[in-house]
Amino acid sequence: MLEEKNNLKAWLYLSPALVLLAVFTFYPLFNAFYLVFLKDFNYLLREFDGYTLLGNFSYVVRNPNFKQAMINTFFIVFVSVPVSVMIALFVSVALNSIKKLQGFFQTIYFLPYVTNAIAVGMAFAFIFHQDYGLINTFLGWFNVNPINWVGTGASWGNAMFSLLVYTIWGGLAFKIMIFLSGLQSIDKQYYDAARVDSTPRRRVFTKITVPLLSPMILYIVITSFIGAFKAYATVVGMFGVGLGPAGNPKSMITMVALVYDALEHTGSIGAISEAAAASIILFSITLLFTIIQMWVSKKRVHY
Amino acid sequence: MENSIKIDKVSRRNKIIAKVFVYFFLVLFAVIILIPFYWMVLTSVKSMQDLTVTPPILFLPFDRWRLDNFQSALNAAPYLIFMRNTVIVSFLSTVGTIFTTIFAAFAFSRLNFKGRDTLFMILLSSMMIPGEMFVITNFITVSDLGWLGSNNVSQTYGDALKALSLPFMTSIFYIFFLRQTFRQIPNELYYAAKVDGTSDFKYLWRIMVPIAKPTIITIIILNAMGTWNAYIWPNLVTDNVNFRLVTNGLRTAYNQLSGQVIYNEQMAAALIVTLPLLIVFFLLKKYIMRGVSRSGIKG
């Protein structure tokens, strides 16, 4: 279909994009693997003291916040992703079953996607306010005493719960959009056949909808996992750069926050290499999980 | 006969109950989605007295709305300057992205060259690498270029704009997105143009770009929205308060680690930052929602 080869012209058309990608994507990628092996790299003087294989990784692991960052990140990933995928699935199936007002509801459900993570995080922090917040008001109707969710000295569990609610809320819009467009592309014949056989609703859902939607579900699960591993702006939105409730700073720290924490101190020796090590750890974990999911899904996904 | 009518009646009644239940669920869920917006608006118009009441006031009559919170938010931090900066940076990065993306997508969809499939695979697989890996070196790069200022020279506005926009002047994702659209344009058009002696360059801008306009508009909007939400990179490369973008400007303005937060003013500021985005959304809803559902762009 495409006639003669046109090498020079093609590379000319590609060059603006490729030059930028080379400088800001590919070089940084390789450079991260270089920086991580420098011993005591002084960023200001560009001097370093030989090479080290695992030294910078051990700096990261020995960082007092590392364990907390791992726990928090895994908590966010393994709670928010399954919960929001389930909710999004039910909502989009319900939305797909109606005709009237479908567009209206779809627009409302899409709103969290077009908002600013910091601004909405602040709103959520106030929703969870101990005295003037909406959650405690609601709980008060059931005679529950006010809970200190995100205020000064709030416990890890309360702060994490609030963060998870915000994370789940923020992730729904995208998932509902993808699921709904997936549902709308399922051939109506399957449902007609089920109706002729008067198959119960639950069976239709588990035997028709979910299998036919499985490629979309896999796509959403993988992108959500990668996204959740990178949680950071949600924490900053809700808790500020202290990354935790007042009096309990860094209690909500995440893996990505480790990278940026190190970058904040570029003046101190080894900080850049430590950031590189943290980013490589993050990358390895997300890669590992993506591979596992692809492998598991090979047997389960119906194409 | 009578029996089947009965069954019909029962099943119709069940259907109506199910419908009511579905609508009830959808309305309830809509309320949950809208609550944070409602709470933001409500808090932003409360006076200090109405704010510090327990239990909080859930519905505030219009005559008690206090708009001076917006005035004090605008006095607390230069949001109009943040917005100007954000508009300039999104303009620069979007123009850059559009040009680099159109040219690259054209090469991938219309031209035949050695190494095309290999290059395509390399770009595709690099999309799953977390951006945090790039940020470290990019920070060093822009600092080496002198765009962050140094100990004795402070950062200029032009340098800040370059540091903020240049790394975002292309996107692998949008190249693929546009390539998909370009590939749907029938080859016959291309051959016809060739017969007429039209150059590739002319064909791209006269035929392909107008046909792909909806996709290009979607890319423009999503890219601009990305700048509006950018927090990490602007935070790293600008220190001067006058060079900040809306998101990091908002966060730095209200970043007390302890003590009393003025919530109504803070929510007014949050609303100032959120509102332009919502207005753009309602004006260009069609392009944004279609773009997201078709391309699966993760925000």
Side-chain angles (χ1 to χ4, degrees), chain B residues 123-183:
Chain B
L123 294 189
L124 197 69
S125 48
S126 72
M127 280 202 311
M128 66 157 302
I129 296 162
E132 284 67 33
M133 286 194 79
F134 312 141
V135 165
I136 301 162
T137 303
N138 287 346
F139 178 75
I140 300 176
T141 305
V142 293
S143 137
D144 282 350
L145 288 167
W147 293 348
L148 305 186
S150 62
N151 289 338
N152 24 14
V153 189
S154 56
Q155 186 183 30
T156 66
Y157 189 54
D159 286 342
L161 291 181
K162 279 187 275 183
L164 285 166
S165 55
L166 199 71
F168 303 100
M169 285 198 179
T170 194
S171 151
I172 297 176
F173 198 93
Y174 295 146
I175 293 174
F176 290 132
F177 187 30
L178 193 57
R179 171 183 168 269
Q180 291 308 106
T181 308
F182 277 173
R183 276 162 66 103

Side-chain angles (χ1 to χ4, degrees), chain A residues 58-240:
Chain A
S58 89
Y59 268 131
V60 175
V61 176
R62 275 185 293 155
N63 181 324
N65 295 316
F66 177 76
K67 207 176 125 198
Q68 193 63 57
M70 288 294 270
I71 293 171
N72 290 343
T73 306
F74 274 83
F75 223 91
I76 293 168
V77 168
F78 289 102
V79 177
S80 80
V81 174
V83 172
S84 59
V85 169
M86 294 287 249
I87 296 175
L89 199 53
F90 282 121
V91 169
S92 43
V93 168
L95 194 56
N96 193 40
S97 74
I98 63 164
K99 282 194 193 75
K100 269 186 199 144
L101 296 176
Q102 194 189 55
F104 171 75
F105 282 117
Q106 203 182 348
T107 305
I108 291 180
Y109 298 164
F110 191 73
L111 284 176
Y113 188 87
V114 284
T115 49
N116 189 294
I118 303 291
V120 178
M122 288 174 166
F124 265 92
F126 194 56
I127 284 174
F128 281 98
H129 193 275
Q130 185 165 10
D131 302 319
Y132 317 127
L134 204 55
I135 298 287
N136 279 348
T137 309
F138 178 72
L139 292 174
W141 297 341
F142 303 96
N143 290 324
V144 179
N145 285 330
I147 295 169
N148 181 9
W149 296 106
V150 293
T152 305
S155 70
W156 180 86
N158 288 349
M160 181 51 87
F161 179 83
S162 318
L163 180 64
L164 286 171
V165 170
Y166 171 34
T167 307
I168 291 165
W169 180 91
L172 286 169
F174 177 73
K175 298 181 180 77
I176 292 172
M177 282 301 284
I178 301 292
F179 284 152
L180 193 66
S181 70
L183 286 169
Q184 283 166 349
S185 65
I186 292 179
D187 197 333
K188 291 279 171 292
Q189 280 182 18
Y190 295 106
Y191 292 109
D192 290 340
R195 195 172 306 140
V196 170
D197 294 346
S198 59
T199 316
R201 266 164 198 276
R202 188 178 303 169
R203 236 180 119 69
V204 172
F205 181 73
T206 54
K207 297 286 171 192
I208 298 178
T209 307
V210 170
L212 288 176
L213 205 59
S214 55
M216 300 286 180
I217 297 175
L218 173 71
Y219 172 73
I220 283 291
V221 167
I222 290 180
T223 53
S224 312
F225 261 84
I226 294 174
F229 269 115
K230 289 161 58 171
Y232 178 67
T234 46
V235 182
V236 176
M238 229 172 158
F239 299 101

Side-chain angles (χ1 to χ4, degrees), chain B residues 65-76:
Chain B
W65 282 35
R66 293 283 294 273
L67 297 176
D68 49 341
N69 292 328
F70 293 92
Q71 191 56 53
S72 41
L74 289 171
N75 290 337

Side-chain angles (χ1 to χ4, degrees), chain A residues 10-26:
Chain A
W11 289 102
L12 204 65
Y13 275 101
L14 285 168
S15 58
L18 287 185
V19 167
L20 283 169
L21 288 173
V23 176
F24 294 111
T25 303
F26 293 111

Side-chain angles (χ1 to χ4, degrees), chain B residues 39-60:
Chain B
W39 202 240
M40 194 190 276
V41 175
L42 182 70
T43 309
S44 72
V45 296
K46 277 181 178 175
S47 67
M48 213 52 191
Q49 266 159 331
D50 285 331
L51 184 74
T52 50
V53 177
T54 23
I57 298 164
L58 300 182
F59 303 98
L60 194 70

Side-chain angles (χ1 to χ4, degrees), chain B residues 11-294:
Chain B
S11 84
R12 188 181 292 167
R13 205 182 59 202
N14 284 346
K15 239 180 209 163
I16 291 171
I17 292 173
K19 268 271 128 73
V20 169
F21 184 75
V22 166
Y23 274 99
F24 175 76
F25 172 70
L26 291 173
V27 169
L28 185 75
F29 187 71
V31 169
I32 292 172
I33 291 298
L34 289 175
I35 277 176
F37 297 103
Y38 178 70
W39 202 240
M40 194 190 276
V41 175
L42 182 70
T43 309
S44 72
V45 296
K46 277 181 178 175
S47 67
M48 213 52 191
Q49 266 159 331
D50 285 331
L51 184 74
T52 50
V53 177
T54 23
I57 298 164
L58 300 182
F59 303 98
L60 194 70
F62 275 112
D63 54 326
R64 270 156 72 191
W65 282 35
R66 293 283 294 273
L67 297 176
D68 49 341
N69 292 328
F70 293 92
Q71 191 56 53
S72 41
L74 289 171
N75 290 337
Y79 288 100
L80 299 179
I81 292 181
F82 297 162
M83 283 189 198
R84 184 199 62 192
N85 296 344
T86 312
V87 169
I88 294 174
V89 170
S90 39
F91 176 79
L92 293 175
S93 78
T94 304
V95 169
T97 303
I98 285 304
F99 276 97
T100 56
T101 307
I102 286 176
F103 284 130
F106 176 73
F108 276 124
S109 62
R110 199 57 269 182
L111 301 176
N112 194 9
F113 59 97
K114 212 176 158 201
R116 186 177 67 167
D117 296 340
T118 319
L119 184 66
F120 196 74
M121 278 315 292
I122 292 172
L123 294 189
L124 197 69
S125 48
S126 72
M127 280 202 311
M128 66 157 302
I129 296 162
E132 284 67 33
M133 286 194 79
F134 312 141
V135 165
I136 301 162
T137 303
N138 287 346
F139 178 75
I140 300 176
T141 305
V142 293
S143 137
D144 282 350
L145 288 167
W147 293 348
L148 305 186
S150 62
N151 289 338
N152 24 14
V153 189
S154 56
Q155 186 183 30
T156 66
Y157 189 54
D159 286 342
L161 291 181
K162 279 187 275 183
L164 285 166
S165 55
L166 199 71
F168 303 100
M169 285 198 179
T170 194
S171 151
I172 297 176
F173 198 93
Y174 295 146
I175 293 174
F176 290 132
F177 187 30
L178 193 57
R179 171 183 168 269
Q180 291 308 106
T181 308
F182 277 173
R183 276 162 66 103
Q184 284 162 9
I185 298 171
N187 289 326
E188 284 69 26
L189 276 178
Y190 184 65
Y191 298 135
K194 278 275 152 191
V195 170
D196 290 349
T198 314
S199 69
D200 276 355
F201 189 80
K202 225 173 177 179
Y203 174 75
L204 170 62
W205 289 100
R206 290 269 176 83
I207 312 285
M208 290 181 95
V209 169
I211 292 177
K213 211 171 102 188
T215 307
I216 293 171
I217 293 175
T218 301
I219 294 175
I220 291 173
I221 301 165
L222 293 176
N223 198 65
M225 275 171 47
T227 312
W228 197 269
N229 282 323
Y231 171 74
I232 290 161
W233 183 250
N235 218 32
L236 278 173
V237 300
T238 54
D239 269 336
N240 188 327
V241 66
N242 288 317
F243 300 167
R244 284 191 185 127
L245 305 191
V246 279
T247 308
N248 66 320
L250 173 69
R251 184 69 277 179
T252 5
Y254 296 96
N255 209 5
Q256 286 101 323
L257 292 178
S258 59
Q260 212 55 50
V261 184
I262 316 158
Y263 283 105
N264 46 3
E265 189 194 302
Q266 190 189 16
M267 285 301 108
L271 197 58
I272 291 171
V273 166
T274 309
L275 216 52
L277 212 54
L278 289 178
I279 291 170
V280 169
F281 169 64
F282 281 111
L283 290 178
L284 303 167
K285 206 173 71 181
K286 189 178 75 178
Y287 291 106
I288 298 174
M289 289 176 65
R290 193 192 46 196
V292 171
S293 68
R294 275 212 199 141

